[in-house]
Structure formats: structure tokens, C-alpha cells
Amino acid sequence: MHTSPRPAARRSFMTLLAAAPTTAALLIAAGVTPMAAHADGDPYDTVELQARTNLLANDAGHNLPPGSSFNSITPQINENGEVSFRVQYVAGLDPTIGSPGVWFGSGGEGEIVYTGNEGGTIPGEAILNDKGDIAFTLGGGGVDNKLYLYSADTQTAEQVGTSPVLPNSYSSAAVDEDGNIGFQASFSAGRSMAAYRDGMGVFYASDKGVDPNSPFTFFYTAHYNDAGQIAAKVSTSDDKVTEQELRVFNPDGSSEVLLANQAVDPESPYKEFDNGIAVNDEGVIAAVAERVSDGAKVVVRSDGETVTEIAAESADGPVQSVRYFRPDINNAGEVVFRAIGPDGAVIYVGDGEDLVAVATQGDAVTTDLGTAQLGQHNASPVFGGGPTINDNGDVAFAAGVHPEGDNQAEWGTGVFVAYGDTDGSEPPADDASEEIVATIPEDTGEGSLVISVDPDDRTVALPEMDSLGDRLATSGELRPVTVTDSRATNPGWDVSAQVSEFSASEGDDSFAGGFLGWSPSVESSTDGQTVNPGDAVDPGFPSGEGLSVPRQLGSADEGAGTGSAVLGAGLELQIPVDTAPGTYTAVLTITAI
């Protein structure tokens, strides 16, 4: 929909920080054989561009309104090879005025099928079923959002009422073949697993913040399947970190533990799990775990009885590093995930026996501009978000591209499908039509400045405190903060942050936010941008301001801020040894101007 320009406004979003002062399963590890590079007729020798975004100063993009942009998205693919994804900025007839939108298509063709209001956001992924219906959330620029469903039949989107489940915000929304929508519901006090089923909202389970009698202290990112189940990493310990389980929840409120860490099951070989897991329609999960024995990250599959290691990190193997993005799993048990291999960034598919490279940094692909290579002009990540896989083995992913042999020319970011069939058939034809964000438009209405964090990954759960003699200390990583500037005036920007006091989840104990410090970094930036990290700030122990006062996370120079950049920071917390045991939480407010 077209709307008039909004007045300029200043917005911020919040990241939760949790500090925890000091207070097993059957494993079958299958041998993994890496396969050779693609030859004609091999799986994934056909990689097809679906859409491409680029700065308007470079070119108009492909299958998107000129000037539109997306960043760090996880494109979704159904059994028909149809693809959906969210577009953070859909440019209007005047490309300096835009709004969020949803893209749908297949076979190299597609378009924006829904646009929200100018200044709004689509904070989570746009997930589709085999009919082409798409579930997504729509916000007005703040923390709260609403649940929407795009109907392929009517080619319209409507808000979905989920009473009696009435959260402040929705995340991880996905629609099944019957039109039911699973989601994670966030309330002021906690989170619930829930779904819209048969015309009304249904609670599956809640954490202690919502239900004091619950055994669960925290729910991490959820994933919904076509069987109406919701899978998630959960914690049962008071610190919300130490005890970790991977559970599958059913509509009747029952649930099953498919895998646990050693703090829960002494026989488990795993210390902890990454936050995002996936579940197929058979109730089998895929996750990333850290081994107790050697600290290596491993991609695992579990049905509750048998655990299979799909791939494991090793310095001289095909997987040198597993990246921090949710893997995906299809009904054949094939798992797709992002990694770093001998030749750089790579997307693998594995089944516990074979490991197949779907797309690798430097691969040649065909685009609307000609032959390109997957890559970046600098050390920025080649792939954005996570890959997804359907039952045919087709994989959807987003990647940066540049002209073949010239990584200094900017061709933007494309959404691709790598086809897994080996029968030589053509890609499917297009037979259908189809954590937190703030927007700061200029007074002139010329473009916008947007900061965002994945709403499903905005909690920094710091590890257990270690004693350093006169203090307790821990460290962690700020979740990625994306800054997108499309303003024609290119005035540059500044992103700063300030942390609140840390308050105990039980009782009245607290400690100063000044005990938190950081070391900012620039994770990636667009060609032509000049982005600078903020200065390192030491923890304020025993006395000092630390991050209790506004501190710069990053900035872009005037005339060199247009594009998208991802900022990060290493966090360090030091507190007095006499701090009362318990779980403490603070809010880090991040602001862009």
C-alpha cells in the first residue's frame, strides 16, 4: 500500500542481557565423506537467481522495484520450489520513499506481493506453505507487532486474531498446509509456544515468567512443522543458561526431550547448543552443538533415540567452522547448514554419510547481469541469514555477488535456489502469483535510516561467571546489529548504546550497568561505505561508567553511509565477588541518528 511520508523521528531498540553468577544421550557418529565439486548432472549443479538487490547508484536490481533492499534474510522454499522472503525496504515510485514487503516467486520469476506501511517493519522471516500462503509479522517500528497471513488464493494479506493468546509480539511464525500458524508469543513477563489452530489461539507451553508452575525458565527461538509441532531449545535452570534441552511441543501441551546437554544428562557428550533448531514433519530435529570432549561444534540430527553427527569442525576437514545460523532439515533427514571450509564460506547438505557442497565462495553463477561469482569485495560474510531445504533437496539461500573475476565491482545480494534433483529436469515454472527495528526518516522524506536486530536472536545469555580473585567475570558477543541507510542526502550516521542497571529475576538485588564494557567491531559493510567501530570501553569495575552512559557502537562518514552495515561487539562483565547469586537482567538500548 502507498502511504504519505512520515515526520522524522528518533527510534531505538533493546537487547536483553542476562548474567549468571556462580551458583546425555545415545550417540551414533556416522562417518562423513565429502563429495567432489559439482559436475553436470550432480546435485546442485543448477543454481538459479530469483531476485537481486543493489544500491540504486549501481543498478536497478532484479525482480524488485529499483532501490529496494534486503539484508541478512533467510529465504524459504516449499515442495514446489516456490520461494518467499521479507524485503526490509520496498522502494516506491519515488525510491526514497519505501516500506517493508513480502516477495514470492519461483523459477527465476517473482514479485512483491504485499507491502506494509511506510516506516513499518517485518521483523521475522516470511514463511510459506505448499499452497503459497505466507505467514509473517508486521510492526509499526517499535517492539510490538501483529501476525499476518497472505493468501495465495485471494492474493491479499489479513491480520490474524489469536485470542485467547494475546502477546505483545509474535516471532517464528509459520503456516502449515491446513492454514494453522505456529508461533512464539512474547509477553512482558516471558514467552509461550502457541499456535492459531481451527480459528483460535492455543497455548502449547509457557515459561515461568508466564506460568509460575512451568518447569521451563526460558524459551529460545521456535520452529513449527506441518504436523503442528513446535521445536525449541529451552532452559530449566534458574540462570536460563546452564541446563539446556531440545524439545518438541505438541498442541495438547505434551512435549518430548530429543536431546539435552551434559548439565541435564550426565551421559550427553554436549556442553551446549546454539539457539536456533529446526524440526521436520516427522518430529526429527537438527541443531548445532558444542562437544564437551574437544569444544568442537557439530551439526547433529536427533529423533529422541538416535543422535547422528552430520558434520563436525576440524582444522583439516571439510568443515573448519560451523556458522551461528539455524540449520534446516527436510523429511528425508537431510540437513543444510552454513560453514567455513577449505575454500571459504560454504553451504553444505549432509545426511550423516555424505556431505555435499551446495554453494561455495567463488562459485560461478548466472545472474541477470551475466556470469557472477559468489563473494564480497572485503571480509564481509558471503552468505546472509540461513539456508532452507525442501524434500526434493532444493536449497534456497542469499549471497553476495560480483562480476566474475572482479570482486571490486558491486552487484549486490541475490536470492538463489540450488536444485537438488539429478534427473536433468528444468527448474519449476512459475505457476502461482503471488532483535528489534527502528526507522528514522529525514524531514525531507528522502529515504530512511533503519537499525535492526533479529527478534528471534536478541538475548545475550552470558556464560557462568568465573572468579578472578577480587571479582567475578564473564564475556560474550553482542547479537548482530544491522544498519541500513537509503537516504539520498547521505549524511552519515552514528549508532550508540547505553545499558540499564542489572536487576535480579528474584528479590531486590542489583548491580550497576557500568560494570559492563565492550569492544565494538564492523562485521560487514557495503561497497563504498566508510564504517568505523566505536572505541573499546573497559568494564567499570570497581568504579567507572562502563556502558552505563551512551557509548558509540559504530559510525559512517558523511557521504559514505549509504548501504547496509552489520555491527557487533565483544562484551565483558566484571562484578564484585560478594554479589548475591541469581540471574540478573539488563536492557541495552541502541539508538541510531
Side-chain angles (χ1 to χ4, degrees):
M1 64 184 70
H2 177 73
T3 58
S4 57
R6 279 178 44 176
R10 177 176 176 141
R11 295 287 187 269
S12 61
F13 67 82
M14 299 179 293
T15 291
L16 300 180
L17 302 173
T22 304
T23 46
L26 170 66
L27 175 68
I28 297 179
V32 175
T33 303
M35 291 184 64
H38 301 318
D40 289 344
D42 280 348
Y44 309 117
D45 68 318
T46 300
V47 178
E48 183 181 54
L49 177 68
Q50 307 300 309
R52 185 179 58 83
T53 180
N54 202 357
L55 294 176
L56 193 55
N58 295 328
D59 67 72
H62 178 63
N63 285 342
L64 285 166
S68 300
S69 64
F70 55 79
N71 183 274
S72 297
I73 61 168
T74 297
Q76 309 292 313
I77 187 166
N78 66 13
E79 303 311 314
N80 304 316
E82 296 166 331
V83 174
S84 65
F85 60 88
R86 61 188 172 121
V87 179
Q88 286 98 332
Y89 187 85
V90 179
L93 294 177
D94 177 353
T96 65
I97 300 175
S99 57
V102 174
W103 190 96
F104 174 82
S106 67
E109 300 293 337
E111 61 184 354
I112 298 293
V113 296
Y114 176 82
T115 55
N117 292 321
E118 181 191 352
T121 63
I122 297 179
E125 304 305 335
I127 301 179
L128 79 170
N129 63 14
D130 292 345
K131 299 176 183 177
D133 303 327
I134 306 171
F136 61 96
T137 56
L138 186 64
V143 175
D144 296 350
N145 61 50
K146 306 296 183 184
L147 179 64
Y148 278 74
L149 181 66
Y150 171 84
S151 168
D153 289 339
T154 65
Q155 300 183 27
T156 59
E158 301 290 342
Q159 183 180 341
V160 178
T162 59
S163 178
V165 183
L166 299 173
N168 297 332
S169 63
Y170 302 81
S171 61
S172 306
V175 58
D176 63 27
E177 301 311 313
D178 296 324
N180 302 314
I181 305 173
F183 55 87
Q184 186 175 91
S186 294
F187 301 88
S188 58
R191 298 178 174 180
S192 297
M193 301 299 178
Y196 171 80
R197 299 181 61 84
D198 301 323
M200 65 181 296
V202 177
F203 283 97
Y204 285 37
S206 299
D207 65 21
K208 281 186 178 295
V210 178
D211 176 7
N213 296 319
S214 171
F216 311 116
T217 57
F218 195 78
F219 287 148
Y220 290 83
T221 306
H223 191 243
Y224 183 72
N225 68 10
D226 276 343
Q229 298 172 309
I230 301 176
K233 168 184 165 181
V234 305
S235 181
T236 55
S237 55
D238 290 340
D239 66 2
K240 305 179 182 180
V241 177
T242 302
E243 296 177 359
Q244 299 177 9
E245 298 175 344
L246 304 185
R247 280 185 176 262
V248 173
F249 294 87
N250 301 304
D252 62 4
S254 63
S255 66
E256 179 185 4
V257 179
L258 271 64
L259 196 55
N261 70 347
Q262 200 170 82
V264 175
D265 178 1
E267 296 184 1
S268 172
Y270 303 121
K271 176 184 177 182
E272 61 184 4
F273 306 103
D274 284 0
N275 290 349
I277 72 173
V279 60
N280 66 16
D281 298 341
E282 306 300 322
V284 181
I285 61 170
V288 176
E290 180 183 331
R291 284 184 187 144
V292 174
S293 60
D294 57 6
K297 282 195 170 184
V298 292
V299 180
V300 298
R301 181 183 66 214
S302 176
D303 61 6
E305 296 181 0
T306 300
V307 181
T308 302
E309 291 194 350
I310 302 297
E313 292 178 337
S314 64
D316 56 357
V319 179
Q320 297 176 357
S321 173
V322 176
R323 310 312 291 163
Y324 192 89
F325 291 91
R326 181 182 69 82
D328 197 24
I329 183 171
N330 64 14
N331 290 329
E334 296 173 317
V335 178
V336 63
F337 62 97
R338 280 180 55 180
I340 299 297
D343 298 320
V346 59
I347 293 174
Y348 281 120
V349 167
D351 60 5
E353 296 181 358
D354 295 321
L355 195 62
V356 183
V358 174
T360 303
Q361 181 175 347
D363 279 358
V365 294
T366 300
T367 74
D368 59 300
L369 297 178
T371 301
Q373 285 180 281
L374 303 180
Q376 294 281 8
H377 69 288
N378 55 18
S380 300
V382 174
F383 300 104
T388 56
I389 187 169
N390 66 13
D391 286 351
N392 301 315
D394 306 329
V395 173
F397 64 92
V401 289
H402 60 75
E404 187 173 26
D406 181 9
N407 71 348
Q408 294 305 299
E410 179 59 57
W411 278 7
T413 300
V415 170
F416 295 88
V417 172
Y419 294 98
D421 63 273
T422 58
D423 60 4
S425 61
E426 293 297 316
D430 181 12
D431 59 359
S433 59
E434 216 245 42
E435 197 293 308
I436 307 297
V437 182
T439 304
I440 308 93
E442 288 292 289
D443 287 334
T444 59
E446 297 181 349
S448 62
L449 176 64
V450 177
I451 55 173
S452 64
V453 66
D454 185 347
D456 295 334
D457 186 23
R458 67 186 190 96
T459 300
V460 181
L462 298 175
E464 181 177 295
M465 290 277 187
D466 292 323
S467 175
L468 299 182
D470 65 338
R471 70 197 70 184
L472 301 175
T474 188
S475 61
E477 294 292 328
L478 184 71
R479 307 316 308 145
V481 177
T482 300
V483 185
T484 302
D485 190 358
S486 61
R487 295 173 293 179
T489 54
N490 203 2
W493 45 261
D494 185 279
V495 175
S496 61
Q498 180 177 5
V499 72
S500 69
E501 181 180 71
F502 283 79
S503 299
S505 58
E506 297 181 4
D508 299 324
D509 293 308
S510 64
F511 58 82
F515 291 151
L516 183 69
W518 70 5
S519 299
S521 59
V522 178
E523 302 299 321
S524 65
S525 61
T526 299
D527 189 24
Q529 281 188 308
T530 302
V531 181
N532 310 298
D535 293 334
V537 177
D538 291 331
F541 181 88
S543 63
E545 294 178 323
L547 297 185
S548 66
V549 297
R551 303 289 193 179
Q552 186 182 71
L553 178 61
S555 64
D557 296 343
E558 182 179 357
T562 300
S564 292
V566 179
L567 307 178
L571 302 174
E572 185 176 3
L573 181 65
Q574 298 179 2
I575 64 174
V577 294
D578 59 356
T579 303
T583 299
Y584 292 76
T585 301
V587 174
L588 184 72
T589 301
I590 305 175
T591 303
I593 57 174

